Structure formats: C-alpha cells, structure tokens
Amino acid sequence: MEETVQRIDDAVSMAAQHCDAIVLGAGVSGLVSASVLAEQGCRRIVVIDEYAHLGGNHIDWSSGDYTFDIGSLIFQDDSPLLQHFPELLPLYVPIRPRWARLNPQGLITAYPISVKDDILRAGPVETARILASAAYARLFKRRMRNAREFARHWIGARLLQRSGLDAYMTRFYGIASDRISIELARKRMQWISEHASLRTILGRLRRTKPAGPTNRQLARPREGFATLYATAAASLSARAASFLLGAKIDRIEKLGNRFVLFREGRAIVADRIVSTIPIPRLQALCNLPVSQELETITLLALYFSFDGKRGFDEEIIYNFSYDGAWKRLTMYSDFYGRAQGREYFGVEVIANHVGKSIARGEADFRAHVAANGLFRGDLRLEGSQFLDNAYPIYRNGAEESAAEAVKALKAFGIESFGRQGGFNYQPTARVSTIEAEAALRDAASIPAR
C-alpha cells in the first residue's frame, strides 16, 4: 500500500497535469464522450489522440481546389451530435444525395435492390426461379449462422447472386460472406429484410416511390473536416477540455484508484479513462493480453478528377458487380461544384484486394469502369490515401472476442466503446453519438475539485 501511494505521488510530481478524466481518441465518439463527461461534472478533461488532427477517421485530402475525404461524408440536421455541438450546423453544406449501384449486369440501378432490373429484366423464366428461390428460403432456410445465410433467407439464393449483394458483402468486409458474423447481419443488415417484405415489393411494382428522409441531409464543409472539428474542440475547450494531438502514448498504469498515462517522459494522472481507440492498441498500452483476432479494414482512397461523360446522374455509386475491387465512389463535385472546370470524386477500395498497391487499385478501377461504359473522357488520378483501422472485420466469433476484451478492460477500470473502442461498426455520426451517450449515461458523475 505504501509503495502504491509513493508511486502515485511520484507520478503526480512529474505530471504535466492532473485531471478528472482522459478521453482517448478525438473522433466523433471521443468528442461526444468529452461533452457528456463535462455534463456529468468533470471540470478537467484531457482528450488525447495519436493522430495529429481532430475527427479520427474523418480525414480529408486537398490538392489545389480539390478536396476529397476518406471518412463519412453525410450528416443530418437532427443528429444528436448537434445537441452537443450546435455551432456545427451552419458549417455544413445542405445536399440532396442520391444513391445507386452498379449491378452485375452492368446497369446503374436502384440501391440496394431493384425489382425491375434485378428481377423482371431477367425474363419470365428466371423471374419465376427467383421468386421460387425466395419462397423456398423463407420456408426451409431458417437457420442463419452467418451473413450469407441471413441474406439468403430473406431474398433467396438466386437473387442474392443475381443482385450482386453477395459480391458486395465480400468486397465491403474483406472476407467471404459466409465468414461474416451473424450478429453483424442482425444488427446492421436489417435493411435486407425490410426491402424483402411483401409490402415493399408490391410498392415497387406499383412504382410508388418510398418516402424520402424527413431530416435534412448535410455534407462536411467544402474546405474539409478541419473547420468542423476545430469548432467542436473550441466548444469543449470553453467548457472543460484540453487537447493533446499527435501525442505518442508510452503506457497506461493503474495505481490504486487512479490512472497514470505516460507520454514522452511526462505523466498525466486521471481519476477516469474513457477510450475510443482500437482495442488491441489500448490493451498493449495497459500491458494486457492483446486480442490478435480483432482485425480491421485498411482502406485505400483514390482521388480522381474527370472531364467527359460519366454515365450516371447519382452522387453515390456502390459496386455490386462481380468484378472490380472498388466498393463505393462519391461525386464530391456534385455537392461542392466543379473545380478547374472538372468533376471530381473519391473511390474506396479495400487495400488487401489490390495488394495494398495504389497502382493496382487505379488500374483495376480504370479497367472496370471502362468495361461498364462509365467515365468516358479524361480521367486523372489526383492523389490517394491509406487509412488503417477503418472499420472492424466481423469474422465469425470476433464479436465474442471483442466483448471479452471490453469486459477485461472494464475490470481494469477503463470504459471502451465506439467503432474502434467497442469493435462496433457505426455507419453514421448519429450512431456514434447515441452509443457514446448510452455508454456513459449511467456512469457516476465525478465531482468538481
């Protein structure tokens, strides 16, 4: 006991500061966590990120008048994120995005399923087979152990193949769909069951358009994410927080009921640590066993400008075809206007699909879109970017391993959650905000000192 007290005293004496709470990670989950902690009574919060920028995996890249990004682009004006940071709302750009997909038949069609193009266009014989396959799956394929079986139950094996959904799942998660966790399918792929309902299919056959969103869709500022998150950081700084960015963390120790975070020969003593960084990184910092099975996707973003006929009108295209490594493209120039008289867009590729090679990724994209009659004209690669730990790979059993890791971290005294900290895929800032609030909602307030 005396040794522990002495080590705490030694750490305090060398500490740059003593705070109520440390938040690891300055992405959406980390910023919202800092806001919630301030509401709970924390008066000294330090937000630490080994990235040199705010926003976590919301990263932009600019060249002249072009600004691209490799993170979530679309937000909503009723997002709970804006309850924490209302100052952000005027900075967003109002947009009306349209989503489409390139299907295996080479058509730009409705996302995620088109009754006309995926079923009726197949002809009466194949249409009958598709419908029979779907009916058979509903009746006799009720056992669902992975994402492929989940999707097959709802739309049948023939439509799963013809629509390209199975190919897209493999392209998106980096592994075959029969190795993707059923837990992920149930949590994040409910849109399959919704679009496969009889009411939805009949509505599409009657050509009734689905109701549009009731909220307003927004894009990040034209100049990039930096302005957006600097405003959030200023709001937090005025309340309770300070920031350490580009901070290489050496280790974290638990001394009694306190934590000591060591970085660059200095120490920060805190009563509490909240983490939104990747679980294996946190485990290593705390000298806990590292969960090797918790893998993440590395994304390659390719940034193009273009002059010519692109072959579609929609702003966001998903690749559901059988070929091509790219998974999604976003036409930034549709939201922000052309630059230097040219359209510009970003393409996302799972890096492992192209051997983590920019040249292979570019060549694969050019060949694939040319084969499908897209981007006929002057197509230039303006730049590229890799992003590690983009989102979790949900192999069967990974969710259980993540839950065990989070439980062990909680026993150590650290609250870990979010896309990275909870190994939990979060498609929007709305989801990140809600889950951060929920994770901290029942935590005891820390009294002001």
Side-chain angles (χ1 to χ4, degrees), residues 332-344:
Y332 299 115
S333 53
D334 284 5
F335 301 140
Y336 306 113
R338 296 189 177 213
Q340 303 173 29
R342 299 171 65 84
E343 295 182 280
Y344 60 100

Side-chain angles (χ1 to χ4, degrees), residues 361-378:
E362 178 188 2
D364 178 89
F365 177 74
R366 286 181 179 275
H368 190 244
V369 295
N372 286 277
L374 306 178
F375 295 108
R376 294 177 176 176
D378 181 21

Side-chain angles (χ1 to χ4, degrees), residues 101-109 311 320-322 368 371-374:
R101 70 191 226 283
L102 175 63
N103 76 1
Q105 293 74 46
L107 299 174
I108 297 292
T109 186
F320 274 52
S321 66
Y322 302 142
H368 190 244
N372 286 277
L374 306 178

Side-chain angles (χ1 to χ4, degrees), residues 75-97:
F75 303 81
Q76 295 81 32
D77 66 351
D78 61 349
S79 170
L81 177 67
L82 294 174
Q83 296 175 13
H84 292 274
F85 306 109
E87 305 90 346
L88 301 186
L89 183 58
L91 302 177
Y92 289 112
V93 176
I95 59 174
R96 292 184 177 180

